Amino acid sequence: MHHKITIEPFRIKAVEQIKLSTREARQQYLRQAAYNPFLLKSEQVIIDLLTDSGTSAMSAAQWSALMRGDESYAGAKSWERLEAVIKDLTGFPYILPTHQGRAAEHLLYTRLGGPGKIFISNTHFDTTRANIEYSGAQAIDIPIAEARRPDHIHPFKGNIDTLKLGQLIEQHGAQSIGAVILTVTNNSGGGQPVSMANAREVSRICRQHGVRFILDACRIAENAYFIKHREPGYEDKSYRAIAQEMFRLADGCIMSAKKDGLVNIGGFLALNELELALQCRTVLIITEGYATYGGLSGRDMEAMAVGLEEVFDPDYLHYRIASTAYLGNKLYELGVPIVRPVGGHAVYVDAQACYPHIPPAQYPGQALACNLYIEGGIRCCEIGSVMFGKYDESGKLIPAPMELVRLAIPRRVYTQSHIDYVIATFAELMQHREAARGLRITYEPPFLRHFTARFEPL
Ligand SMILES: *Cc1c(COP(=O)(O)O)cnc(C)c1O
């Protein structure tokens, strides 16, 4: 391998056209989308960094596996294949297929949640928090203190504060804890990895108190990369072996295969408790589909079985993490304030530091997302007070801890010249950052408001 330049370790077999647009056209598109990039049409976007979820390019091996799809209602060969891959990877005996991660969350957290229940996590992802709160339970985030400091370098900034974890369990009583959820990598916390030592300590605390430990394993392969390269004792282990070791510390996991499963749709719930698995399976059959397909087609399950193995390929993982770091490091050199070190699947820009003159109540992250679109046709996602803000009794905004904008990198989709274009667009934006203005919300739904809220520039 040549060490100076990390190339994309694939050739392109099929291409998808990108529609280019003018700045004037984009201004109009954004106005029509009520200044919410989620409401744009994809053909109005040049580089789509809204999410890395379900946006992966499948490999030739995955496309050919689709033809093998067994579409039988029950006991399909494709299910056997997928179940075997997941069992071998996770070590859990009870596997429930779902159409995506949040369906697995819904099955599990409605069973474990309800009024009076508490869930504790390094950071609950937005759909995780929504599913928990929707059940009437409470979701508490306790990342380590370093995680709240965007420019502070720490090798495992995704770690949970294990001291607080023990205190919280004792304070609330083990019987009121629905689960402790470790999100790897920590998506909302900057795509930052969790160390094996931290997962081991969580496991120990949970076992000591008799509390359930669930892994949100959406990016377990990317997390394994960081462990191998940053945590002593893992240099010689394979990425897959590292992931297997982490799964075996937990009592179960949920996974959105739209991330490290390298597929466009799919997910699963895996558990080691028969009784709980049976309860979840009943709801699965009522809401998702029969227990051997759970809302997926046979071909989806085939692609997922292949993707869950491909993702641990060392050349792929090296390119994946190196290409995300390339974007982050170039932005940092330009003076763009970013969360450091750069995480696995995305670069998080500190919008508050970028636009210090825009207060949280005027949503600096949303303003940056809008300006990136107008300047370069780049779509990205606010992860700040639009996504996580709450209101107090007087209707005043309680801001999120950080005002971030996430540039999520779809897997195997964009080449380095696309990323260089994103960097050039930022260089342009940084020239006139003082002129940027905030926004106000004109419509919002009660849950997950960032998806459908409407805005107006101030
Ligand atoms: C994407 C994601 C989910 C939800 O999965 P979907 O497939 O989008 O429903 C849950 N947790 C984390 C950490 C995620 O990134």
Side-chain angles (χ1 to χ4, degrees):
M1 191 168 61
H2 194 290
H3 289 279
K4 290 224 172 67
I5 300 173
T6 302
I7 62 165
E8 289 87 3
F10 48 80
R11 297 183 294 187
I12 296 167
K13 198 186 274 272
V15 298
E16 189 176 356
Q17 200 193 344
I18 292 175
K19 227 171 158 179
L20 302 178
S21 55
T22 63
R23 190 191 171 87
E24 289 67 40
R26 291 195 293 270
Q27 273 165 335
Q28 191 194 335
Y29 298 151
L30 192 63
R31 201 177 319 119
Q32 286 162 351
Y35 298 89
N36 185 348
F38 273 105
L39 303 177
L40 287 166
K41 297 177 187 187
S42 75
E43 64 170 17
Q44 296 168 339
V45 175
I46 296 177
I47 306 284
D48 206 344
L49 307 182
L50 187 63
T51 177
D52 64 320
S53 177
T55 51
S56 302
M58 291 210 297
S59 66
Q62 285 177 295
W63 281 107
S64 54
L66 294 186
M67 259 333 271
R68 241 178 13 198
D70 174 355
E71 306 302 343
S72 306
Y73 191 91
K77 189 83 204 143
S78 302
W79 164 242
E80 278 179 42
R81 219 171 265 129
L82 175 63
E83 189 189 30
V85 168
I86 298 174
K87 273 190 179 167
D88 185 60
L89 177 62
T90 66
F92 299 123
Y94 309 113
I95 317 295
L96 287 73
T98 60
H99 77 280
Q100 58 185 92
R102 73 195 67 184
E105 292 177 331
H106 180 71
L107 297 177
L108 186 62
Y109 301 139
T110 46
R111 297 286 345 131
L112 301 180
K117 289 286 170 143
I118 312 259
F119 290 79
I120 307 168
S121 177
N122 48 346
T123 305
H124 293 85
F125 181 63
D126 59 354
T127 60
T128 317
R129 173 173 289 278
N131 270 298
I132 288 167
E133 290 178 351
Y134 193 72
S135 82
Q138 192 193 345
I140 302 174
D141 293 338
I142 48 163
I144 54 170
E146 289 86 343
R148 308 256 199 233
R149 293 164 56 196
D151 200 34
H152 181 83
I153 300 292
H154 185 289
F156 292 103
K157 241 176 156 175
N159 283 354
I160 192 170
D161 186 332
T162 48
L163 198 70
K164 269 196 203 147
L165 176 62
Q167 289 166 351
L168 275 174
I169 295 174
E170 273 164 27
Q171 181 191 332
H172 292 278
Q175 73 294 339
S176 66
I177 310 295
V180 173
I181 305 166
L182 204 50
T183 311
V184 300
T185 56
N186 190 0
N187 185 354
S188 312
Q192 299 291 329
V194 174
S195 71
M196 192 70 81
N198 192 244
R200 211 178 289 122
E201 181 61 5
V202 170
S203 182
R204 191 192 64 76
I205 294 170
C206 287
R207 297 227 159 124
Q208 181 195 339
H209 291 91
V211 167
R212 229 176 247 104
F213 171 20
I214 300 295
L215 262 191
D216 180 338
C218 295
R219 297 178 182 81
I220 187 98
E222 292 172 5
N223 199 82
Y225 182 92
F226 289 109
I227 289 178
K228 185 177 166 87
H229 297 276
R230 291 183 187 170
E231 191 163 354
Y234 288 92
E235 303 83 356
D236 299 325
K237 296 225 163 99
S238 73
Y239 297 119
R240 198 156 186 284
I242 293 170
Q244 285 172 319
E245 182 177 334
M246 190 172 267
F247 278 120
R248 279 150 186 79
L249 294 171
D251 299 307
C253 74
I254 72 110
M255 180 157 183
S256 168
K258 299 172 72 173
K259 287 43 174 278
D260 274 354
L262 297 175
V263 287
N264 306 119
I265 198 74
F268 62 86
L269 170 63
L271 295 167
N272 64 5
E273 291 166 75
L274 174 62
E275 195 46 46
L276 181 61
L278 289 176
Q279 290 169 2
C280 291
R281 195 173 73 177
T282 301
V283 186
L284 175 78
I285 296 171
I286 296 170
T287 60
E288 287 277 303
Y290 184 63
T292 62
Y293 71 88
L296 292 166
S297 62
R299 55 182 173 271
D300 293 331
M301 295 193 285
E302 292 284 351
M304 198 162 132
V306 176
L308 284 170
E309 308 238 280
E310 275 183 358
V311 75
F312 290 104
D313 172 57
D315 290 340
Y316 162 75
L317 273 178
H318 176 71
Y319 138 81
R320 170 71 179 157
I321 304 301
S323 59
T324 305
Y326 175 82
L327 172 60
N329 293 337
K330 291 280 181 190
L331 291 183
Y332 187 71
E333 283 165 23
L334 278 177
V336 179
I338 61 165
V339 175
R340 293 201 312 146
V342 177
H345 68 288
V347 174
Y348 291 70
V349 179
D350 183 349
Q352 189 64 81
C354 203
Y355 294 154
H357 59 287
I358 302 179
Q362 295 178 11
Y363 305 111
Q366 194 71 17
L368 181 58
C370 288
N371 291 339
L372 262 174
Y373 176 70
I374 289 171
E375 190 64 40
I378 298 159
R379 174 154 72 168
C380 61
C381 180
E382 192 259 16
I383 301 204
S385 292
V386 175
M387 189 180 269
F388 290 123
K390 295 236 151 87
Y391 296 108
D392 66 15
E393 293 89 44
S394 70
K396 199 165 144 277
L397 180 82
I398 307 167
M402 294 194 273
E403 302 296 336
L404 303 178
V405 157
R406 184 183 72 174
L407 309 171
I409 321 289
R411 293 170 181 77
R412 307 188 293 206
V413 171
Y414 293 114
T415 64
Q416 187 173 335
S417 71
H418 292 118
I419 298 302
D420 285 333
Y421 171 86
V422 174
I423 294 161
T425 304
F426 262 99
E428 206 51 55
L429 277 189
M430 293 303 280
Q431 301 283 318
H432 29 254
R433 59 205 269 197
E434 290 83 12
R437 286 176 306 155
L439 301 117
R440 74 178 192 90
I441 293 180
T442 58
Y443 161 80
E444 62 184 293
F447 285 97
L448 298 175
R449 66 175 179 168
H450 55 287
F451 287 130
T452 53
R454 301 176 75 82
F455 299 84
E456 201 169 76
L458 287 165

